[in-house]
């Protein structure tokens, strides 16, 4: 209850958002919500899920307001497709982008470079997160470009390790419901998945990033359960030198949702114990 009260107070005290800017970029686009001070500001790329789009994830996550309040620019790139139902090529998934072999790693390179040049943002302080299919690509980008991002966070989507081995040390936060029926926590095909993808298990993704972060990681676990919602979250963190290098937030009984988002309660398996926005920004702040 205290965490929710603090979050509500921060939201009420946060400044109003500036007008969202849409940038066309070689036939594709991205949206930008900028903080009050843009020169030298860090940026967070936020990737929509499969069948989503930039405006949809910005609206449903509510990520821009708290991110801008902490001085980050929130950048929402657009996937590809024939309609507003856009997807990302995360290797083994999803949709048009994967079938067409779209090079979304290169596209994100272009987004980062353009946003840095256009708005004066700091290209050396880049963070990336995403939901579902967007989480696949967020983790893939971190795996392929470990020196290009300060930290990454995936929500309800697991990295295709066969296509994107983790090539260097990069901090990772992963948030996932243990009852996710779209991207199963234990891997394999989801009973309600819209694709026939054999997804990587969450623990295999965590193990890959732990190995890439080198020896000497110290493990710590705590249970987060302030809300009486029938769910609880187990946080496991692997740290070195007092900083978290890998963190897993396993929502026990949680579904395929962005915790704290607008649609989380309606989708089922949503928890009030944590807010994805708060947890992502907390993790990123530890690598700023």
């Amino acid at each position: 209850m205290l965490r929710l009260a603090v979050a509500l107070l921060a939201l009420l005290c946060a400044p109003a958002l500036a007008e969202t800017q849409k940038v066309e970029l070689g036939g594709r686009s991205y949206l930008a919500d900028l903080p009050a001070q843009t020169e030298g500001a860090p940026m967070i790329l936020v990737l929509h899920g499969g069948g989503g789009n930039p405006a949809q994830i910005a609206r449903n996550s509510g990520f821009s307001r708290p991110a801008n309040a902490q001085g980050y620019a929130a950048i929402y790139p657009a996937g590809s497709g024939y309609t507003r139902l856009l997807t990302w090529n995360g290797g083994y998934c999803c949709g048009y982008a994967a079938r067409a072999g779209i090079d979304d790693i290169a596209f994100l390179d272009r987004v980062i470079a353009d946003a840095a040049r256009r708005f004066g943002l700091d290209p050396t302080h880049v963070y990336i997160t995403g939901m579902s299919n967007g989480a696949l690509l967020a983790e893939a980008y971190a795996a392929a470009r470990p020196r290009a991002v300060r930290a990454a966070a995936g929500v309800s989507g697991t990295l295709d390790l066969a296509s994107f081995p983790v090539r260097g040390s990069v901090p990772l936060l992963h948030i996932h419901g243990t009852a996710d029926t779209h991207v199963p926590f234990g891997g394999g095909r989801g009973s309600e998945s819209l694709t026939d993808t054999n997804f990587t298990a969450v623990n295999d993704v965590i193990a890959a990033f732990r190995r890439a972060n080198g020896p000497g990681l110290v493990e710590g676990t705590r249970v987060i359960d302030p809300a009486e919602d029938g769910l609880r979250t187990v946080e496991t963190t692997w740290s070195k030198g007092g900083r978290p290098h890998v963190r897993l937030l396993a929502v026990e009984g949680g579904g395929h949702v962005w915790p704290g988002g607008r649609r989380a309660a309606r989708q089922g398996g949503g928890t009030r114990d944590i807010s994805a926005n708060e947890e992502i920004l907390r993790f990123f702040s530890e690598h700023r």
Side-chain angles (χ1 to χ4, degrees), residues 68-137:
N68 288 175
Q70 294 187 30
Y72 296 95
I75 306 295
Y76 300 90
S80 55
Y82 298 114
T83 67
R84 287 175 58 84
L85 304 178
L86 308 176
T87 58
W88 301 104
N89 180 10
Y92 54 25
C93 181
C94 295
Y96 168 82
R99 290 195 305 271
I102 302 297
D103 188 348
D104 280 321
I105 299 294
F107 173 62
L108 295 184
D109 287 339
R110 290 167 54 210
V111 169
I112 291 167
D114 185 83
R117 177 190 58 79
R118 187 180 301 269
F119 302 116
L121 307 178
D122 185 352
T124 70
H125 282 72
V126 176
Y127 305 82
I128 189 167
T129 187
M131 168 68 190
S132 189
N133 180 208
L136 269 65
L137 185 59

Side-chain angles (χ1 to χ4, degrees), residues 43-267:
M43 72 178 91
I44 302 175
L45 273 61
V46 186
L47 309 183
H48 60 76
N53 58 72
Q56 167 265 324
I57 192 171
R59 178 176 63 252
N60 289 342
S61 68
F63 190 79
S64 291
R65 189 179 297 275
N68 288 175
Q70 294 187 30
Y72 296 95
I75 306 295
Y76 300 90
S80 55
Y82 298 114
T83 67
R84 287 175 58 84
L85 304 178
L86 308 176
T87 58
W88 301 104
N89 180 10
Y92 54 25
C93 181
C94 295
Y96 168 82
R99 290 195 305 271
I102 302 297
D103 188 348
D104 280 321
I105 299 294
F107 173 62
L108 295 184
D109 287 339
R110 290 167 54 210
V111 169
I112 291 167
D114 185 83
R117 177 190 58 79
R118 187 180 301 269
F119 302 116
L121 307 178
D122 185 352
T124 70
H125 282 72
V126 176
Y127 305 82
I128 189 167
T129 187
M131 168 68 190
S132 189
N133 180 208
L136 269 65
L137 185 59
E139 294 182 351
Y141 190 81
R145 302 278 195 270
R147 286 182 290 277
V149 293
R150 291 269 173 151
V155 181
S156 300
T158 53
L159 171 66
D160 177 1
L161 286 167
S163 299
F164 298 101
V166 186
R167 298 186 181 280
S169 175
V170 57
L172 175 74
L173 165 66
H174 190 93
I175 304 173
H176 213 112
T178 64
D180 191 327
T181 54
H182 293 263
V183 182
F185 190 94
R189 293 173 173 82
S191 61
E192 294 186 80
S193 175
L194 300 178
T195 76
D196 196 34
T197 305
N198 188 23
F199 291 103
T200 307
V202 170
N203 288 339
D204 289 342
V205 174
I206 295 299
F209 277 89
R210 285 174 56 195
R211 286 193 297 271
N213 276 279
L217 295 175
V218 178
E219 180 178 337
T221 301
R222 69 181 181 119
V223 175
I224 306 171
D225 191 19
E228 297 180 2
D229 57 5
L231 305 173
R232 70 173 195 167
T233 299
V234 177
E235 176 190 275
T236 307
T237 302
W238 291 267
S239 302
K240 187 189 301 183
R243 301 177 74 188
H245 282 248
V246 180
R247 175 174 290 153
L248 171 63
L249 288 167
V251 183
E252 295 184 344
H256 192 71
V257 299
W258 182 280
R262 287 179 57 187
R263 299 178 60 194
R266 297 201 305 271
Q267 289 174 306

